[in-house]
Amino acid sequence: MSEAIAGIMGTQYLTLEADTPIRQAAGLLHANGEEAAPVVDAAGALVGILTQKDCFRPAMMASYYQQWRGTVGEQMSHPVRTIDATTDIVAAAEMFASEPHRSFPVLQSGRLVGMLHRNDVLGRLLQLG
């Protein structure tokens, strides 16, 4: 199978900045139904990724201290595991099968161009088989 993930990746996605308050970012992830969002700098370069899981510790601390503390930059994961837009669907499926990530930022020539979610790949495999 030689179909590239560029055809199934999401091109409309939430992005965050490192200085965004973590409470605001958690709210944006939830409100937009996103499991993760790429974190970009002022030039749009990928610097990290924030997942719902990354938001749990600050949320639990807020429930104890009655105050959210911190920024996206303090909670995000980096360096980021990415996938290239030219990767074929089977190779992407193998990545999802072997790694715990639910989504990957998609790069083309080193530039962020999309997000690929497990559900995107599984859905396409169901269509093919």
Side-chain angles (χ1 to χ4, degrees):
M1 179 179 316
S2 61
E3 182 179 351
I5 63 164
I8 63 168
M9 70 181 186
T11 57
Q12 300 291 316
Y13 50 90
L14 173 69
T15 60
L16 300 168
E17 295 177 356
D19 62 352
T20 302
I22 193 66
R23 169 63 178 94
Q24 179 183 353
L28 288 168
L29 285 173
H30 183 268
N32 287 284
E34 297 286 348
E35 294 178 347
V39 182
V40 296
D41 65 14
L46 183 66
V47 296
I49 191 164
L50 184 76
T51 67
Q52 287 180 346
K53 183 178 178 181
D54 296 328
C55 297
F56 274 98
R57 186 159 312 284
M60 291 184 300
M61 295 301 288
S63 69
Y64 181 74
Y65 292 109
Q66 304 300 308
Q67 181 181 2
W68 284 78
R69 296 184 179 143
T71 64
V72 167
E74 295 167 345
Q75 301 299 323
M76 70 183 186
S77 299
H78 60 88
V80 183
R81 182 76 162 100
T82 62
I83 190 167
D84 191 88
T86 61
T87 303
D88 73 69
I89 291 175
V90 172
E94 290 171 350
M95 286 178 65
F96 281 116
S98 66
E99 299 190 27
H101 307 298
R102 294 180 180 189
S103 57
F104 292 106
V106 180
L107 301 182
Q108 186 170 26
S109 301
R111 196 172 63 82
L112 180 64
V113 294
M115 286 292 288
L116 183 69
H117 302 281
R118 284 192 302 200
N119 195 49
D120 300 329
V121 175
L122 181 59
R124 185 65 183 128
L125 290 173
L126 286 167
Q127 290 174 348
L128 295 172

